[in-house]
């Protein structure tokens, strides 16, 4: 669905590249996370993929179209939800969606249906300029689905949303993916990436450092630990043991044998911890 080979980009065209020899592929039907701190090059790559920036160096194919040969038809297959909402403030929510829907050459989703899906029912006739930041974000998210995209670009889709609405947005993403939609998720939120993505790419200073599934990354870079709460002398104690070190395995067996266990669960590294370990950089 997406093929990127040796992509480089310089804003000043002075030989200093903000994106450097980036290559990756996104398979049809997967959720691919593009993860990195602010200024890492995420938005630059995304803008080239979606046609907002002109390709300078490399080869890029999107939904079977070569971006060197732009075709309006490719936009019929693409949806894009921006982190910064760019809606028309003097139009109502419904007018925003209806206007945008007319830009496509394919059948579109009913605007009221989309507004209900993102929790904006009853706000159809309210001007978007009167919306809160979170409501504007939901309207932008709804707009990105209006053409039933095969390839869906999501830039920080849960930013500024309360936990309940964010959970609804994540459920919509999962449902669309179950329907076969390919998703390119740009974020610095490792928790949403871990929850949603089939594979992730770590990008820092314009270079991809690693691409793999969250599960494989945890197995490769995470420590194998077990945290146990148990009762000893009428007091609750908590200990963490390695499941690899022989002495820890023996100690764990002794605790299980000699004490009443309250809780026991494995501990795995988070994607954020792995990102820092692999790149030497934080996410801010």
């Amino acid at each position: 669905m997406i093929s990127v080979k040796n992509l480089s980009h310089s804003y000043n065209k002075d030989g200093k590249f903000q994106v450097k020899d980036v290559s990756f592929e996104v398979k049809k039907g997967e959720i691919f996370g593009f993860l990195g701190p602010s200024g890492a090059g995420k938005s630059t790559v995304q803008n080239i993929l979606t046609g907002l920036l002109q390709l300078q160096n490399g080869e890029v194919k999107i939904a079977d179209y070569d971006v060197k040969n732009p075709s309006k038809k490719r936009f019929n297959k693409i949806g894009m939800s921006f982190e910064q909402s760019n809606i028309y403030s003097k139009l109502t929510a419904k007018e925003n969606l209806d206007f945008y829907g007319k830009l496509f050459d394919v059948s579109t989703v009913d605007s009221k249906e989309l507004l209900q899906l993102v929790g904006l029912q009853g706000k159809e006739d309210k001007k978007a300029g009167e919306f809160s930041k979170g409501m504007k974000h939901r309207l932008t998210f709804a707009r990105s689905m209006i053409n039933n995209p095969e390839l869906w670009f999501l830039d920080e889709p849960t930013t500024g949303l309360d936990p309940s609405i964010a959970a609804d947005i994540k459920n919509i993403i999962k449902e669309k993916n179950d329907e076969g939609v390919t998703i390119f998720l740009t974020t610095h939120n490792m928790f949403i990436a871990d929850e949603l993505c089939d594979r992730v790419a770590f990008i820092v200073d314009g270079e991809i450092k690693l691409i793999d599934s969250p599960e494989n990354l945890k197995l490769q870079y995470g420590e194998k630990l077990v945290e146990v709460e148990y009762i000893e002398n009428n007091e609750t104690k908590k200990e963490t043991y390695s499941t690899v070190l022989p002495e820890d395995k023996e100690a764990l067996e002794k605790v299980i044998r000699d004490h009443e266990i309250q809780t026991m669960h494995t501990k795995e590294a988070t994607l954020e911890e792995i990102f820092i370990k692999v790149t030497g950089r934080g996410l801010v």
Side-chain angles (χ1 to χ4, degrees), residues 16-232:
K16 296 180 180 179
F17 291 96
Q18 283 69 49
V19 172
K20 309 162 190 174
D21 198 31
V22 164
S23 298
F24 62 90
E25 290 191 353
V26 179
K27 303 171 187 175
K28 183 175 177 60
E30 79 171 327
I31 303 179
F32 186 86
F34 210 56
L35 315 182
S38 298
K42 302 190 304 294
S43 294
T44 300
V45 172
Q46 178 181 260
N47 288 343
I48 293 170
L49 298 185
T50 54
L52 295 177
L53 276 178
Q54 186 175 8
L55 176 66
Q56 293 178 353
N57 300 291
E59 298 178 13
V60 178
K61 289 186 178 180
I62 301 294
D64 301 324
Y65 291 93
D66 190 331
V67 299
K68 289 181 180 178
N69 302 301
S71 169
K72 181 183 176 182
K73 290 182 179 180
R74 88 170 187 264
F75 293 107
N76 289 326
K77 296 185 175 183
I78 294 173
M80 176 71 210
S81 180
F82 298 91
E83 179 181 10
Q84 301 297 329
S85 299
N86 57 344
I87 53 180
Y88 295 102
S89 60
K90 293 184 179 181
L91 298 181
T92 67
K94 185 177 185 304
E95 288 170 342
N96 264 278
L97 296 187
D98 289 342
F99 173 78
Y100 190 67
K102 293 176 182 178
L103 301 177
F104 296 96
D105 300 324
V106 294
S107 61
T108 55
V109 184
D110 180 74
S111 56
K112 287 187 177 181
E113 179 183 334
L114 287 174
L115 291 171
Q116 182 173 2
L117 186 63
V118 299
L120 291 176
Q121 64 272 19
K123 308 295 184 182
E124 296 90 347
D125 299 322
K126 185 174 181 178
K127 288 188 177 181
E130 300 173 10
F131 280 9
S132 66
K133 183 178 179 181
M135 291 169 66
K136 290 177 180 177
H137 191 80
R138 280 186 273 165
L139 181 57
T140 302
F141 183 79
R143 188 184 62 186
S144 71
M145 295 183 279
I146 202 162
N147 59 317
N148 284 308
E150 296 178 24
L151 176 58
W152 199 13
F153 290 91
L154 301 177
D155 188 3
E156 303 290 0
T158 59
T159 294
L161 302 179
D162 65 56
S164 175
I165 297 297
D168 291 340
I169 294 297
K170 287 186 285 187
N171 286 335
I172 293 170
I173 294 171
K174 292 175 184 176
E175 288 170 5
K176 291 297 181 183
N177 182 243
D178 288 341
E179 293 171 7
V181 177
T182 305
I183 299 169
F184 187 89
L185 174 66
T186 305
T187 186
H188 67 272
N189 185 329
M190 295 293 169
F191 295 103
I192 186 173
D194 191 7
E195 182 177 351
L196 296 178
C197 294
D198 298 301
R199 289 188 303 142
V200 295
F202 290 168
I203 181 169
V204 173
D205 297 328
E207 298 180 275
I208 289 183
K209 302 296 184 181
L210 179 152
I211 298 177
D212 210 334
S213 69
E215 181 180 1
N216 286 343
L217 290 174
K218 290 175 184 178
L219 290 174
Q220 183 175 356
Y221 292 97
E223 295 184 73
K224 297 180 179 179
L225 303 174
V226 174
E227 186 177 83
V228 184
E229 283 190 5
Y230 61 95
I231 303 298
E232 184 177 67

